[in-house]
Amino acid sequence: MPTPATLLTIDRSALAANWRFLAGQAAHGHCAAVVKADGYGLGAVEAASAFLAAGCTRFFVAHLAEAIILRAGLTERFPQAKPSIGVLNGLLPGEQAEFLAHDLLPVLNTPQQIADWQPEHPAILQIDTGMSRVGLEAMEFDALLPDLRRRNFGLLISHFARADEPQEPLNRLQIDRFSAAMQQLPGVPGSLAASSGIFLGPDAHFDLLRPGYALYGGNPVPGKPNPMQRTVTLTTPIIQVRDVEAGRPVGYGSRWHAPA
C-alpha cells in the first residue's frame, strides 16, 4: 500500500491541555467535556481518553448510541474509572433499559421524557432559558415542580443562545432565569456555560462547565486571540504552483479573478 499523501494529525496532549485550561477557569465547580459527533470528528473514545487522563470525570454526547460506544471504549481503556456520561437528546421511547444497563444519564427535556423515566433513577433535567431549542419551558417547569422535586436529578442544565456576544443582554437574562430555577430545586447543582459561556465570567459558571468545540481548538471568544491550543494539523504535498496574470479567471464558473 502506498503511503497516503495527506495526513491528519491529532494532538492528544493539546486536547488534554485545552481541557485543563478550561477547567482552570471554573469559578465554583468542575468541568465536563462534550464529545458528541464522535468527538467533533476526532474520535469520541480517543478524545474522551485524553480528557479522562487529564482529570475529567463527566462527559456528554448527543445520542444513546454514542453513549454506549463511549462507555464500552472507556471501560476497556480505564477499567477502574466510572465517568458520568450524559445523553443530551434524552430518552426516546423504549430506551430506558439501555440507559440503565450501560449506566448512562438521560437529559430529560420534555414533560413526556420526564413521565417516561422512573423517578428513582438518576437523570439530568434541562430547562429552556432563552435559546428556544430544547428543555422545559418556564410554564412547564412551574407546573411540574412538585414532581420534579421528588426525582433524582443530579444536575440542572440550560444553554446560552448568544454567549459569543459578551455584551448581549440576553446573557444576563439567561443567568437570572437559570438562578431562579435552581432556587426552586434546592440541592441540585447547575450547568449553564458551554465553550463561550465560560468567558462570560463567574456568574455564568454555576457548578459545572460544559465545553464542547473549544476543547478541540475552536475559538470561544470570536474577535479576540484564540486561547485554545490547536489540536489538528493537516499536511499534504503541494502538486503545483501557478503564476496567474492579472484579470485571469480561476476555477469553476470563473468566479474568482486574479486582482494582480
Side-chain angles (χ1 to χ4, degrees), residues 45 64-74:
V45 175
L64 174 60
E66 293 179 292
I68 293 173
I69 292 170
L70 181 62
R71 174 66 76 202
L74 292 180

Side-chain angles (χ1 to χ4, degrees), residues 48-183:
S49 295
F51 301 140
L52 183 58
C56 184
T57 60
R58 302 192 70 157
F59 298 95
F60 288 89
V61 295
H63 305 286
L64 174 60
E66 293 179 292
I68 293 173
I69 292 170
L70 181 62
R71 174 66 76 202
L74 292 180
T75 299
E76 181 178 354
R77 295 186 180 199
F78 303 89
Q80 303 306 315
K82 300 295 181 184
S84 165
I85 301 176
V87 180
L88 293 167
N89 284 3
L91 182 72
L92 296 180
E95 289 184 342
Q96 178 165 289
E98 289 290 317
F99 272 94
L100 297 175
H102 297 280
D103 192 20
L104 304 170
L105 295 172
V107 176
L108 304 180
N109 300 293
T110 69
Q112 188 60 57
Q113 288 186 345
I114 293 168
D116 289 345
W117 186 252
Q118 296 300 313
E120 67 272 16
H121 296 314
I124 298 168
L125 177 65
Q126 179 153 213
I127 60 172
D128 176 34
T129 55
M131 192 170 189
S132 300
R133 185 171 67 177
V134 289
L136 293 181
E137 297 278 1
M139 290 182 63
E140 293 173 327
F141 179 78
D142 291 341
L144 290 172
L145 256 181
D147 179 40
L148 299 178
R149 285 172 174 160
R150 68 184 182 88
R151 288 179 174 268
N152 188 8
F153 288 125
L155 189 67
L156 176 70
I157 71 171
S158 190
H159 199 74
F160 281 113
R162 301 177 69 174
D164 56 350
E165 303 171 75
Q167 305 307 315
E168 167 55 46
L170 179 59
N171 292 324
R172 182 73 252 175
L173 182 59
Q174 288 195 252
I175 291 171
D176 292 342
R177 287 171 174 170
F178 191 70
S179 296
M182 286 191 66
Q183 292 175 12

Side-chain angles (χ1 to χ4, degrees), residues 5 22 70 82 98 115 152 179 184 203 207 229 235 242-243:
L22 294 174
L70 181 62
K82 300 295 181 184
E98 289 290 317
N152 188 8
S179 296
Q184 297 299 315
D203 283 357
D207 301 290
Q229 293 189 26
T235 56
R242 300 285 295 273
D243 289 322

